[in-house]
Amino acid sequence: AQSVTQPDIHITVSEGASLELRCNYSYGATPYLFWYVQSPGQGLQLLLKYFSGDTLVQGIKGFEAEFKRSQSSFNLRKPSVHWSDAAEYFCDVGARSNTGKLIFGQGTTLQVKP
Amino acid sequence: DAGITQSPRHKVTETGTPVTLRCHQTENHRYMYWYRQDPGHGLRLIHYSYGVKDTDKGEVSDGYSVSRSKTEDFLLTLESATSSQTSVYFCAISTSGGGNEQFFGPGTRLTVL
């Protein structure tokens, strides 16, 4: 069965520091992989996605993620965090089927200290 | 922003009453989804639709039904609301399945007393 694990429920970093949010997935083949961000009281916005090809994916707002097949991971990174990055981040697995169904991780809440 | 609206945005109801949430899109996307969001669970898929009158269950479909009579509208119904259905409900749309981006609505906060 497909599953997604985000080991860190809550992370606090200082503004300007680097960030890495972890994501591990379980899937029988190479899935589609996504990172979404949810600001407080808002809906979700796509940060980036991996379908195939280059395993390092660039997204919006200066984020990037690296797909590592051997580790079943898709970690999200940013070299320098801004206070506006404080939000909840979701890693998702999408089946390679026509349904487009996504399996969401539990989410990681990012707090940014001034 | 993708043209997705949800109504109502907030609702308080009592146990045992029927509730219908509406998702409306102006993008003419084929796929529509209903999720619920609860602390510690992320978003979980309730039902989805891959065309008019074509729907299927997600992972937490018990107690919910859906209907899609027009491309633009996807209704989620709680036939007899329970306190366990207190949650934030999100609608999403996509041009197709198979890994395309889903665009999310603003959410509906439902409280069942």
Side-chain angles (χ1 to χ4, degrees):
Chain A
Q2 304 166 43
S3 66
V4 180
T5 300
Q6 294 179 244
D8 304 305
I9 296 173
H10 193 106
I11 284 183
T12 300
V13 300
S14 298
E15 190 168 16
S18 63
L19 171 70
E20 182 170 30
L21 302 183
R22 296 182 292 163
C23 173
N24 295 99
Y25 68 89
S26 174
Y27 189 71
T30 301
Y32 298 123
L33 296 162
F34 305 81
W35 276 97
Y36 282 84
V37 61
Q38 183 181 30
S39 298
Q42 303 295 313
L44 281 75
Q45 180 184 21
L46 181 69
L47 281 176
L48 47 79
K49 59 187 178 184
Y50 172 79
F51 285 179
S52 64
D54 193 346
T55 56
L56 185 62
V57 180
Q58 302 297 321
I60 63 172
K61 305 184 180 185
F63 285 93
E64 66 177 26
E66 186 171 12
F67 169 59
K68 292 186 177 180
R69 185 191 306 273
S70 62
Q71 299 177 19
S72 297
S73 69
F74 189 55
N75 293 349
L76 182 71
R77 301 193 294 249
K78 187 170 184 178
S80 178
V81 170
H82 188 263
W83 64 266
S84 61
D85 293 325
E88 189 162 19
Y89 292 80
F90 294 96
C91 177
D92 319 320
V93 166
R96 288 184 178 263
S97 70
N98 290 332
T99 66
K101 293 195 297 186
L102 296 178
I103 301 296
F104 279 77
Q106 304 93 320
T108 297
T109 299
L110 173 64
Q111 182 179 359
V112 181
K113 294 190 301 184
Chain B
D1 290 344
I4 312 168
T5 57
Q6 293 184 230
S7 58
R9 293 293 313 279
H10 302 271
K11 185 171 183 66
V12 180
T13 191
E14 294 188 349
T15 297
T17 60
V19 176
T20 295
L21 308 183
R22 181 186 185 224
C23 177
H24 179 78
Q25 60 146 329
T26 58
E27 306 296 321
N28 201 37
H29 284 3
R30 178 182 174 189
Y31 285 74
M32 300 185 75
Y33 306 83
W34 275 109
Y35 295 89
R36 60 177 290 173
Q37 183 178 26
D38 304 289
H41 290 279
L43 276 75
R44 292 178 291 175
L45 182 65
I46 304 170
H47 282 280
Y48 68 101
S49 169
Y50 46 96
V52 173
K53 297 186 180 179
D54 292 323
T55 65
D56 204 351
K57 296 179 180 180
E59 60 180 309
V60 290
S61 59
D62 287 348
Y64 302 94
S65 62
V66 290
S67 65
R68 192 169 178 201
S69 59
K70 299 184 290 185
T71 298
E72 58 266 34
D73 289 325
F74 193 33
L75 304 181
L76 177 71
T77 297
L78 291 65
E79 299 290 348
S80 178
T82 67
S83 58
S84 64
Q85 294 175 312
T86 292
S87 187
V88 180
Y89 291 86
F90 286 97
C91 173
I93 64 174
S94 179
T95 55
S96 65
N100 280 299
E101 176 181 359
Q102 292 186 16
F103 299 92
F104 286 80
T108 294
R109 182 173 295 277
L110 176 67
T111 302
V112 183
L113 301 175

